[in-house]
Amino acid sequence: MNKLVKITIDGKECIVEKGIYIVVAAKNNGIFIPTLCNLEGVKPKGSCRICTVKVNGRLMTACTTPVNDGMKIENNIPELHDLRKAIVEALFVEGNHYCPVCEKSGNCELQALAYRFNMMVPRFPYQFDIKEVDASHPKIIKDDNRCILCKRCVRTIKTDDGKSIFAVENRSNKTKINIDSELTDKLTDKLAKKAMDVCPVGSILYREKGYDVPIGKRKYDLKPIGSDIEN
């Protein structure tokens, strides 16, 4: 049996398995810590920073920090609420997100977090950069306007021998996600559907699958993000 340790999250005492990530420990104890780049079962990257918590007074990402005995974790405090809201706002102004016409509306994790953090008018100016909508692939449509560079697709959509079909191209503000030109034929229908599912926004769409569920009946239309974890 793995060693158990005692931690507190927002004052709640939790007995958890030593070494699991804070975000998992919190979930196992009915506490929601928001994430965007993180995906259960996939090695975390800590790139979006929205899961930032305070551990013994220091800011750390909950998806990459293993628990240890005696940790005092702060999660639901005004300082972190504002930090997370600022990240969501930054992602909205950096991309071109038009929720009412997006196929992922109601299932979009970014949109759901905007509602959770009561985002109204972002504190940052909109960029409105011109970005590409690539409809050249026979399996998917890739809309860079909606991509938040979480890299979930890069980390999960792989060939049988473990090569990533999606790849990061360029750096800095020119960074974008593309399909590896040498592996494009490896993107099967099954992987294309999976790519759409793991994408937290509407950047990757499996062809002809955008509006399967009517508006009003989609995942976050029915209950807020995190409500399935919180108790």
Side-chain angles (χ1 to χ4, degrees):
M1 183 177 178
N2 293 324
K3 184 178 179 181
L4 299 179
V5 295
K6 184 190 296 183
I7 64 173
T8 63
I9 305 177
D10 293 333
K12 180 181 179 179
E13 194 172 277
C14 307
I15 305 298
V16 302
E17 184 181 324
K18 183 180 180 180
I20 63 173
Y21 294 116
I22 290 174
V23 71
V24 177
K27 181 181 178 182
N28 292 344
N29 283 274
I31 298 168
F32 174 64
I33 297 177
T35 64
L36 276 174
C37 68
N38 192 53
L39 199 60
E40 199 165 329
V42 179
K43 187 177 180 181
K45 296 292 288 185
S47 58
C48 76
R49 322 302 286 186
I50 205 161
C51 69
T52 298
V53 293
K54 272 192 165 182
V55 180
N56 299 338
R58 295 180 59 193
L59 295 174
M60 305 180 80
T61 48
C63 72
T64 59
T65 305
V67 296
N68 217 330
D69 193 41
M71 275 184 168
K72 180 184 176 184
I73 299 162
E74 296 171 274
N75 170 55
N76 189 19
I77 59 175
E79 177 186 347
L80 294 177
H81 180 96
D82 188 60
L83 172 66
R84 292 165 178 168
K85 185 177 180 180
I87 293 171
V88 171
E89 291 175 358
L91 291 171
F92 264 92
V93 302
E94 189 274 338
N96 299 312
H97 300 275
Y98 301 104
C99 296
V101 296
C102 179
E103 295 85 344
K104 202 73 176 272
S105 181
N107 290 320
C108 172
E109 294 176 37
L110 179 65
Q111 179 193 46
L113 287 175
Y115 281 123
R116 183 178 178 98
F117 293 120
N118 300 314
M119 191 188 89
M120 300 298 284
V121 178
R123 70 194 76 179
F124 311 110
Y126 282 96
Q127 302 300 303
F128 294 127
D129 290 336
I130 297 175
K131 299 189 178 183
E132 183 181 30
V133 178
D134 182 1
S136 63
H137 198 280
K139 305 293 184 187
I140 64 167
I141 295 172
K142 189 174 68 64
D143 189 343
D144 291 341
N145 294 286
R146 302 167 180 173
C147 182
I148 59 171
L149 300 174
C150 66
K151 303 182 184 70
R152 282 188 182 182
C153 55
V154 177
R155 289 180 285 142
T156 58
I157 309 303
K158 295 178 181 289
T159 61
D160 291 341
D161 57 353
K163 295 178 180 174
S164 295
I165 295 177
F166 290 86
V168 180
E169 181 182 299
N170 300 330
R171 292 185 177 182
S172 188
N173 64 339
K174 301 296 182 185
T175 303
K176 60 184 294 187
I177 303 297
N178 265 335
I179 298 177
D180 189 312
S181 58
E182 294 183 2
L183 299 175
T184 185
D185 292 341
K186 303 291 184 182
L187 189 64
T188 62
D189 285 292
K190 182 179 179 180
L191 286 176
K193 290 176 184 175
K194 183 179 178 181
M196 178 176 174
D197 290 340
V198 300
C199 179
V201 291
S203 182
I204 299 174
L205 300 172
Y206 181 65
R207 285 182 177 274
E208 300 180 7
K209 282 292 180 184
Y211 294 105
D212 270 0
V213 180
I215 291 174
K217 295 184 178 180
R218 298 175 184 176
K219 184 176 181 180
Y220 301 121
D221 291 337
L222 303 174
K223 54 185 181 181
I225 192 169
S227 61
D228 56 331
I229 294 175
E230 293 169 319
N231 57 31

